[in-house]
Amino acid sequence: MTAESATIAEPHVMTTYGRLPIALVRGRGSRVWDSTGREYLDGLGGIAVNTLGHAHPKFVAALQEQVATLIHCSNYYHIPGQEQLAARLVELSGLTNAFFCSTGLEANEAALKLARKFGHDKGIERPEVIVFEKAFHGRSIATLSATGNPKVQAGFGPLVEGFVRVPFNDIEAIRAAVESNPNITAIFLETIQGEGGIHAARWDYLRAVRELCDQHDLLLMLDEVQCGIGRTGKWFAHQWADIKPDVMPLAKGLGSGVPIGAVVCGPRAAHIFKPGNHGTTFGGNPLSMRAGIETLRIMEEEGLLENAAAVGAHLKAALERELAGVAGVAEIRGAGLMLGIELDRPCGVVLTRALEAGLLLSVTADSVVRLVPPLTLSVAEADEIVALLVPVIKTFLAESAAA
Ligand SMILES: *Cc1c(COP(=O)(O)O)cnc(C)c1O
């Protein structure tokens, strides 16, 4: 860290983040530069947001054109981009309709409202939703209540009621909750838990959850805000299990950095909202729709699903090889370009050490090093991540005591 970058002051910004001591000012592909001109390899992609990497030329040209044409107009009017993006999401997911908003938590709020209205429409006055340990769904009052991390909830009670929490990947726990509680209307989970430490739902478990939802007339709501949009090598992570949800919140990677969220619904959920039941000022505006349309178009044109799968497999294999037998490495897991390296001890400092080495990443769930880079990452860049990260992890483990 240079002396200059270590003294960045923000006296007027609320202190909601523990910031690293650099300011990023420019990016290109999988690389970014800070205000002192130092270059970093981006293993974080703005937390699974920068699908196309930074300053992708085709994306930049499309957005420049859109900014100069129409940015926003409100949902009082038809917005052609909404139908275009909804049709594409429907085509890719096999679902039927989409609602647009601007963030992940908003997409999840819409999903939770759908679950409640679905219950009320069938005469359940106090609908409840099954949620999971280690889940993360956002930081609004309802979505932090659905979240399974006490740190996210601390200080913000009373929590929203109507959630029943069960362990993840345990079908009997869900079955017991459903069979003992006639107020359950939906099951709400991340296909791959992101903030909770990169824990994937087993595919057989997802199929069993789908079956249970069908048997009991419940909505299966899969939060794919982080794991969707090609990150695992399929358009949506649940497609590995060959099932369809009824409700699928999306956000992060959908706009390659332009704020956008969506809830994509199948036939059982697509017509629950009637005019006036839900809405948002910014959601679905022409700029964000263009960002979504171009992201999906460029992903397809450049084969980024295949790239995420292939480069992700290469990266995971290289990490497994280089960290094999290293004491303190508990597990390397994930799919495509959504990978977690779990250590046997809290490892927040790995974030700073990696930054010093020139690599952006994050540490989540205290002890999991998370890599969610742009889906444009090349094999050579993956090798560079390994070359930068492995020594940082080995040095950290050698210096620190096991928990
Ligand atoms: C990031 C995330 C959210 C919240 O998205 P915001 O855009 O920060 O509101 C919700 N669910 C999952 C799975 C996420 O990873």
Side-chain angles (χ1 to χ4, degrees):
M1 252 16 70
T2 65
E4 185 200 329
S5 68
T7 59
I8 295 170
E10 296 178 325
H12 305 100
V13 178
M14 286 174 76
T15 50
T16 50
Y17 305 101
R19 308 248 203 217
L20 291 159
I22 63 165
L24 297 174
V25 294
R26 185 166 65 88
R28 185 82 187 178
S30 301
R31 292 178 200 278
V32 290
W33 287 265
D34 72 13
S35 53
T36 72
R38 179 153 189 222
E39 181 181 313
Y40 303 84
L41 183 58
D42 189 359
L44 182 64
I47 320 182
V49 166
N50 296 105
T51 304
L52 304 175
H54 302 277
H56 189 294
K58 291 179 202 164
F59 189 63
V60 168
L63 289 193
Q64 281 175 335
E65 181 198 73
Q66 189 61 50
V67 165
T69 305
L70 188 67
I71 293 175
H72 180 85
C73 59
S74 104
N75 283 301
Y76 283 168
Y77 315 101
H78 287 281
I79 296 173
Q82 287 187 16
E83 180 54 29
Q84 212 182 322
L85 182 55
R88 186 70 179 128
L89 289 170
V90 160
E91 186 184 357
L92 298 177
S93 64
L95 301 178
T96 64
N97 295 80
F99 168 82
F100 293 108
C101 51
S102 311
T103 65
L105 80 77
E106 270 184 275
N108 286 334
E109 284 277 348
L112 293 171
K113 283 180 70 173
L114 285 168
R116 289 232 172 142
K117 182 100 181 351
F118 180 69
H120 285 280
D121 288 351
K122 43 178 191 174
I124 297 173
E125 276 173 30
R126 301 185 62 80
E128 296 184 44
V129 175
I130 294 184
V131 293
F132 293 81
E133 291 173 2
K134 296 193 179 138
F136 182 82
H137 297 296
R139 291 171 178 277
S140 66
I141 295 289
T143 58
L144 77 80
S145 300
T147 288
N149 180 348
K151 281 193 209 159
V152 172
Q153 297 172 338
F156 298 105
L159 300 180
V160 170
E161 54 187 325
F163 294 110
V164 175
R165 195 169 307 282
V166 300
F168 196 57
N169 269 331
D170 177 349
I171 191 68
E172 290 314 318
I174 300 184
R175 199 185 308 279
V178 168
E179 285 173 0
S180 65
N181 184 346
N183 289 332
I184 301 290
T185 61
I187 300 177
F188 183 35
L189 68 152
E190 296 154 86
T191 311
I192 302 177
Q193 292 184 331
E195 305 305 299
I198 318 292
H199 295 282
R202 290 194 321 271
W203 305 147
D204 64 317
Y205 167 77
L206 274 183
R207 285 190 283 267
V209 177
R210 175 70 272 178
E211 227 168 89
L212 204 67
C213 287
D214 292 339
Q215 282 164 7
H216 293 269
D217 191 31
L218 312 176
L219 296 179
L220 175 56
M221 312 204 299
L222 294 180
D223 179 347
E224 294 230 2
V225 166
Q226 187 162 157
C227 63
I229 314 296
R231 183 142 296 277
T232 65
K234 297 243 189 220
W235 285 105
F236 308 108
H238 67 264
Q239 291 174 330
W240 291 105
D242 208 18
I243 56 147
K244 285 182 203 170
D246 299 299
V247 178
M248 175 172 61
L250 298 171
K252 290 195 167 85
L254 179 55
S256 290
V258 174
I260 180 173
V263 191
V264 190
C265 292
R268 298 172 66 223
H271 304 290
I272 293 173
F273 285 154
K274 307 293 181 223
N277 282 157
H278 198 53
T280 157
T281 300
F282 287 114
N285 83 16
L287 178 64
S288 65
M289 294 300 96
R290 188 70 184 270
I293 291 162
E294 297 296 334
T295 296
L296 299 179
R297 189 179 66 73
I298 296 167
M299 283 178 73
E300 183 166 54
E301 206 170 275
E302 302 193 349
L304 295 189
L305 260 57
E306 296 76 7
N307 192 69
V311 177
H314 175 90
L315 178 56
K316 193 176 176 198
L319 290 167
E320 281 165 350
R321 192 177 59 241
E322 296 299 320
L323 292 170
V326 175
V329 177
E331 192 181 17
I332 299 173
R333 56 178 179 255
L337 286 172
M338 181 171 184
L339 298 176
I341 304 162
E342 178 157 17
L343 305 185
D344 68 353
R345 65 202 75 168
C347 62
V349 67
V350 166
L351 179 61
T352 328
R353 301 266 184 95
L355 188 75
E356 284 162 3
L359 174 65
L360 307 187
L361 48 71
S362 80
V363 170
T364 189
D366 295 333
S367 59
V368 181
V369 178
R370 172 175 51 178
L371 294 168
V372 281
L375 303 191
T376 50
L377 194 80
S378 68
V379 168
E381 288 165 342
D383 288 338
E384 213 180 314
I385 289 180
V386 175
L388 292 169
L389 179 55
V390 165
V392 167
I393 290 179
K394 283 185 175 167
T395 307
F396 164 73
L397 288 171
E399 286 175 7
S400 65

